[in-house]
Amino acid sequence: MSGPNTNYDPVQVAALDEAAIAEMVDQAVTAIRAADSIAGLKQARLDHLGDRSPIALANREIGALPPEARRVAGQRIGQARGRITEVFREREAEVTAAELEATLRAERLDMTLPVELHPQGAVHPVTALIDQLNDVFTAMGWEVAEGPELEGEWLNFDALNIGPDHPSRGTTDTLFVDPIDHGLVMRTHTSPVQIRALLNRDLPVYVVCPGRTYRADEYDPTHLPVFHQIEGLCVDKGITMAHLKGTLDHFARELFGDVRTRLRPHYFPFTEPSAEMDLECFVCRGESVGNPDRPCRTCRSEGWIEWGGCGVVNPRVLAAVGIDADVYSGFAFGMGIERTLMFRNGAEDMREMVEGDVRYSRTLRGGAR
Amino acid sequence: MRAPMSWLRDWAQLGDDVTVDQVAEQFTRLGLTVERIERVEPGWSGPVVVGRVLECAREPQKNGRTISWCLVDVGHHNADSAEGVDTHRGIVCGAPNVDAGQLVVVALPGAVLPGDFAISARKTYGHVSDGMICAEDELGVGTDHTGIMVLPETVDGRALVPGEDATPLLVSPDTVFDIDVTPDLSHCMSIRGLARELAGALGAPFTDPVSLTTPDPVAEGYPVRLLDAACPLFVAVTVDDLNPTAQTPAWMKRRLELAGMRSISLAVDVTNYVMLETGQPLHAYDGDRLQGSIVVRKAHDGEVLTTLDEQERTLDPDDLLITDDSGPIGVAGVMGGASAEVTETTRTIVLEAAHFDAATISRGMRRHKLPSEASKRFERGVDPGAAYSAAHRAADLLVSLGGARKRTTETVTGKVPVMPTQTIAASLAGDVLGVEVPTEQVVSILQSSGVQVDVAGDRLHLVPPTWRPDLVDPYDYVEEVGCKVGYDHIPSVVPRAPVGRGLTRSQRLRRAINTAVAGQGLVELITMPFINDRDLDRMGLPAEDPRRRVVRLANPLADTAPYLRTSLLPGLFAAISRNTSRGNDDLALYEAGSVFLAREGAPTAPSPSVDARPSDDELAQFAAALPEQPRLLAAVSCGAWTRPGWRGAGLPADWTTVVAAADAAAEAVGVTLVRRQAEVAPWHPGRCAELLVDGQVVGVAGELHPSVCQAFGLPARTAAMELDLDDLIAADPGRGVLAPLSSHPVAKEDVALVVDADVAAEEVRQALVEGGGAMVESVTLFDVYTGPQVGEGKKSLAFALRIRAADHTLKDAEAAQVRDAAVAVAVERFGAVLRD
């Protein structure tokens, strides 16, 4: 080892010789680039940048050089270190990325494994449909009115111009609360809610009344003794049958798309004029009529589906709730929810709607509601 | 009402080009719903022709039968004969009544008879039989098989010709419209009414089968007295010398059958025929069996009548009766009695054509459960103006068909009631329908419906015809105009509703609850809301339990379930059984709906007038009369919540499932349910909690009592929850506050407290919350330990406290202070010991 103050040419110190340093750099770069793991890279750094690396050892020789040569040698060493460090960083990034990628590959999972954390819940199709119908009408500015299922006979019948001798008031049609002379029935339609709305709300009234209704009816694929209806009532100044038609057309479009509707004269005590509302079959659009090759299950090849009843509110009904029929007029309509589900969603047996099979409620999903 | 097209054409002069579909469409447009269209067609195809039997040779056979070898002239069909003879065909006939000279019906080779019976020339009994001579039943035009059909020489004055098509002689193709007549269109319960509407709709001429005007009262015929206003008119026409052997002609039989009635005897068939045609029910009495005057009156208490169906019926004082000196001989308009009924020997007939009050007949028909063709018409309303004409039409038919003689004397008691007049604005129809209808059109429509219209400026004075009892109110006339204008001419206009408020808060919260509980993994059901005593007993409800305050139905759907539900649970229990029987074992079900709780001493519901708004007192009485009808939410669970799977062991759908559902419902409202240990049926006494909001019990949840599971056939450890939705929603905290959040770090302190084993964890947690004060952000139980380290009858509860100050970073000592204050309250309340 040379001592200080000796007048040496740096070129004469072998370790600081330009070619030697270039050789060190080459070796270091080769080693670092050869490393293919974090551990190998660490070893390469120790070997070529560590305290005992050739470059470090060469650095120690600088002190032996004459002062004027130290600057050049120092620069040479510094550049070499910089070059090695740069290559190291590059390689370190490459190896880290490769190792991460390998790790991620190793961590691959079967992402098709079932992930259900808890069972799939569901609201009942009847509830879902009622919610949807309520939304259609609230969007038009209407409100949703409700009332008791066990109702006064007067509110269910008399106020609706269904007189005491009307056949529907018999025990074969209506469920009476015991004793019969207490005047309480299970409502046979949601119309008493309309009466309550007219008694309790300020005019004008625009309400829909969804809810459960009861009839002493058969329990078969197309009849339930306990079922749901939605009825609508509008009482305002200047209301005509054209407004009824417009409302039903809008309602039908919201629910079934672009279909035509038809009003057919009918009879109800609480409306006059009264009509049945038919919906153009939204499946066959009437093409199944008289066409045995293309039968339609939805409309039974009739082209029209009977949807519900409607009409202009009978002035007698307005009189019973104290509304001046010379100033106000209105319309009302009503349809069965289960029946609507039947033809809208192809349900074949209404009884399944109340049997309580857990699979039934889960059947209708998302947009199919 | 079943209406044959041919009968409608008798009175509505429709063009030949009018099709069945057109008729059906017009009926539908008028509100006469065509339920079914039945086409009446021959049941055969191919040549079925008239033949003349020229020769008929009897040929006894070895098998004991005698056949006839017939030579039959079938006109231009003879040339096809297989034996090359052009004057006849040879046909083997087995019928005993075949004879030379007869005109018969011959099915020729190529014909296919009912039952897919193809006719061809075939060898039999030593001949080639070249066709078949037909009996009624072989053609399906009758049931007779005793012999072949023998045709008359002439039909309608025209001589039959061998070879002509026999089909029109045997069956006239017809179409029957089966129409659902609504209660208001009483006049359409007759061919007369339907033909009138059809002719009007198609612009065709109409002839009214009711052509006679009711004369002033006359009492020259059979004596009649009317003692009750429910019978304002009674016409009696008598015929004598009816030939008892006279048969109902085929054309009448056929029409009756097409209209859905059976042929009985000429007298009865004639009354039915006239009823179908005119809508006026008639009754035929045996004039020789009537005793004294006919008196129409209400029944006396306890009076009895044996009706035609041989049932003895006790009469009601509201029953309107036809009586004679012997007593009641019929319930007016409902059913006749046996005593004065016509028989096969009746020669003198008194025909009754009376008008009865619709409501009276309707009540009587329902009371005796005797819906008949007559009562169905009377309860809707019959045209009183048709009675006189109908009586004479029937009498005339008995004369022409039964050889009877009509007496010139008759009885008309009472009068045709005067129809109620009405005055309406000429513009009313258009105003209500929303389509312009000029006054001239309103007038012409109403006039063609038979309404007498007087135009007075912009008002119309109206008198309806006697056959339209439905035209009373102004809007009745609007409907009449609307139907005739056609509802399809009414435009479609969406009314502009005032600004709405959307769903009410309660409605929104109920929907949010429903969504939350379903989102929690439970499935909503809708069950039948009826229960019985056994349900309540199986639930183990004590006598004083409010759920025993049942409302009973007077006429339940099933006697086995006479009450309205007081709890949603029995319905859900039944659903569990149904599901498990179908292999759906893992269940978490819920239902939201009303229950019904009787109110002690509730008043009778009022029955206010319908002419004015009920008074406030009456409205209050309605409210008081109704049972309580709270809305409840209930859930049940059993089986597995999650099945064991690749992530590890599964979880049972136990009491935590239904508690979580209740918590989800409460969370949707914005309140937190507090659970308090309780003992309530039908739950397990040690695994039952009341659910409280603000100290008020709103529900109960837990595992069901094992005996309840057993009684309802539920899987062991089925859990259930029921809460009052109305109470829960009433606790709605309303609008919340978005308070600023502390950005200072949180201090975490864990404490383990040893308490007696029966101390409720929730109460200890509450003590820590209260003791810790405002800086306690949350206290969460994370471990429960029982065992030797804490000793017998004790348990260790480990809680994690998160402590944070709003305005500064807590020092360790401050956090410790909060923790100690929290523990101090637990120590004080429960003698809790802090574990190290």
Coordinates of all heavy atoms in Angstrom, one line a residue, chain B residues 302-316 319 328 331 335-338 367-368 370:
Chain B
G302 N -145.8 -18.2 9.1 CA -145.9 -19.7 9.3 C -146.6 -20.4 8.1 O -146.7 -21.6 8.2
E303 N -147.0 -19.6 7.1 CA -147.7 -20.3 6.0 C -146.7 -21.2 5.2 O -145.5 -20.9 5.2 CB -148.2 -19.2 5.0 CG -149.6 -19.5 4.5 CD -150.1 -18.3 3.8 OE1 -149.6 -17.1 3.9 OE2 -151.1 -18.4 3.1
V304 N -147.1 -22.3 4.7 CA -146.2 -23.2 4.0 C -146.8 -23.4 2.6 O -148.0 -23.3 2.3 CB -146.1 -24.6 4.7 CG1 -145.3 -24.4 6.0 CG2 -147.4 -25.3 4.9
L305 N -145.8 -23.8 1.7 CA -146.2 -24.1 0.3 C -145.4 -25.2 -0.2 O -144.1 -25.2 0.0 CB -146.0 -22.8 -0.6 CG -146.0 -23.0 -2.1 CD1 -147.5 -23.4 -2.6 CD2 -145.5 -21.8 -2.8
T306 N -146.0 -26.2 -0.9 CA -145.2 -27.2 -1.5 C -144.9 -26.8 -3.0 O -145.9 -26.6 -3.7 CB -145.9 -28.6 -1.5 OG1 -146.2 -28.9 -0.2 CG2 -145.1 -29.7 -2.1
T307 N -143.7 -26.5 -3.3 CA -143.4 -26.0 -4.6 C -143.2 -27.2 -5.6 O -143.3 -28.3 -5.2 CB -142.1 -25.2 -4.6 OG1 -141.1 -25.9 -3.7 CG2 -142.3 -23.8 -4.1
L308 N -143.1 -26.8 -6.9 CA -143.1 -27.8 -8.0 C -142.0 -28.8 -7.8 O -142.1 -29.9 -8.3 CB -142.8 -27.0 -9.3 CG -144.0 -26.5 -10.0 CD1 -143.6 -25.7 -11.2 CD2 -144.9 -27.7 -10.5
D309 N -140.9 -28.4 -7.1 CA -139.9 -29.4 -6.9 C -140.2 -30.3 -5.7 O -139.3 -31.0 -5.2 CB -138.5 -28.7 -6.7 CG -138.6 -27.6 -5.6 OD1 -139.7 -27.5 -5.0 OD2 -137.6 -26.9 -5.4
E310 N -141.5 -30.3 -5.3 CA -142.0 -31.2 -4.2 C -141.3 -30.9 -2.8 O -141.2 -31.8 -2.0 CB -141.8 -32.7 -4.6 CG -142.9 -33.0 -5.7 CD -142.6 -34.3 -6.3 OE1 -141.7 -35.0 -5.9 OE2 -143.4 -34.7 -7.3
Q311 N -140.8 -29.7 -2.6 CA -140.3 -29.3 -1.4 C -141.3 -28.5 -0.6 O -141.9 -27.6 -1.2 CB -139.0 -28.5 -1.6 CG -137.9 -29.2 -2.1 CD -136.6 -29.0 -1.3 OE1 -136.7 -28.3 -0.3 NE2 -135.5 -29.5 -1.8
E312 N -141.5 -28.8 0.7 CA -142.4 -28.0 1.5 C -141.6 -26.8 2.0 O -140.6 -27.0 2.7 CB -143.0 -28.8 2.6 CG -144.1 -28.0 3.3 CD -144.8 -28.8 4.4 OE1 -145.6 -29.7 4.1 OE2 -144.4 -28.6 5.6
R313 N -142.0 -25.6 1.7 CA -141.2 -24.4 2.1 C -142.0 -23.6 3.1 O -143.2 -23.3 2.8 CB -140.9 -23.6 0.9 CG -139.9 -24.4 0.0 CD -139.7 -23.6 -1.3 NE -139.0 -24.5 -2.3 CZ -137.7 -24.6 -2.3 NH1 -136.9 -23.9 -1.6 NH2 -137.1 -25.5 -3.2
T314 N -141.4 -23.2 4.1 CA -142.0 -22.2 5.1 C -141.8 -20.8 4.5 O -140.7 -20.5 4.1 CB -141.4 -22.4 6.5 OG1 -141.5 -23.7 6.9 CG2 -142.1 -21.5 7.5
L315 N -142.9 -20.1 4.5 CA -142.9 -18.8 3.8 C -142.6 -17.7 4.8 O -142.9 -17.8 6.0 CB -144.2 -18.5 3.1 CG -144.6 -19.6 2.1 CD1 -146.0 -19.5 1.6 CD2 -143.6 -19.6 0.9
D316 N -142.0 -16.6 4.2 CA -141.6 -15.5 5.0 C -142.7 -14.4 4.8 O -143.2 -14.3 3.7 CB -140.2 -15.0 4.5 CG -139.7 -13.9 5.3 OD1 -140.1 -12.7 5.1 OD2 -138.9 -14.2 6.2
D319 N -142.5 -12.7 1.6 CA -142.8 -13.4 0.3 C -144.1 -12.9 -0.3 O -145.1 -12.9 0.4 CB -142.8 -14.9 0.6 CG -141.5 -15.5 0.8 OD1 -140.5 -15.0 0.2 OD2 -141.4 -16.6 1.5
P328 N -151.8 -20.8 -0.7 CA -150.8 -20.4 -1.7 C -150.7 -21.4 -2.8 O -150.7 -22.6 -2.6 CB -149.5 -20.4 -0.8 CG -149.9 -20.4 0.6 CD -151.3 -21.0 0.6
V331 N -145.0 -18.9 -5.2 CA -144.3 -17.7 -4.8 C -144.1 -16.9 -6.0 O -143.5 -17.3 -7.0 CB -142.9 -18.1 -4.2 CG1 -142.2 -16.8 -3.7 CG2 -143.1 -19.1 -3.0
M335 N -141.4 -19.4 -8.0 CA -141.7 -20.8 -8.3 C -143.2 -21.1 -8.1 O -143.8 -20.6 -7.1 CB -140.8 -21.8 -7.6 CG -140.9 -23.2 -8.1 SD -139.8 -24.3 -7.3 CE -138.6 -24.7 -8.5
G336 N -143.7 -21.9 -8.9 CA -145.1 -22.3 -8.8 C -145.3 -23.4 -7.7 O -144.3 -24.0 -7.4
G337 N -146.6 -23.5 -7.3 CA -146.9 -24.6 -6.4 C -147.4 -25.8 -7.2 O -147.7 -25.7 -8.4
A338 N -147.5 -27.0 -6.5 CA -147.9 -28.2 -7.2 C -149.4 -28.2 -7.5 O -149.8 -28.9 -8.4 CB -147.4 -29.4 -6.4
R367 N -133.9 -15.9 -0.6 CA -134.4 -16.5 0.7 C -134.6 -18.0 0.5 O -134.2 -18.8 1.3 CB -135.7 -15.8 1.1 CG -136.1 -16.1 2.6 CD -137.3 -15.3 2.9 NE -137.2 -13.9 2.8 CZ -138.0 -13.1 2.0 NH1 -139.0 -13.6 1.3 NH2 -137.8 -11.8 1.9
H368 N -135.2 -18.3 -0.6 CA -135.6 -19.7 -0.9 C -134.5 -20.4 -1.8 O -134.7 -21.6 -2.1 CB -137.0 -19.8 -1.5 CG -138.0 -19.3 -0.6 ND1 -138.4 -20.0 0.5 CD2 -138.9 -18.3 -0.7 CE1 -139.4 -19.3 1.1 NE2 -139.7 -18.3 0.4
L370 N -133.9 -20.1 -4.9 CA -134.6 -20.6 -6.1 C -134.4 -19.7 -7.3 O -135.3 -19.1 -7.7 CB -136.1 -20.7 -5.8 CG -136.6 -21.9 -5.0 CD1 -138.0 -21.8 -4.7 CD2 -136.3 -23.2 -5.8

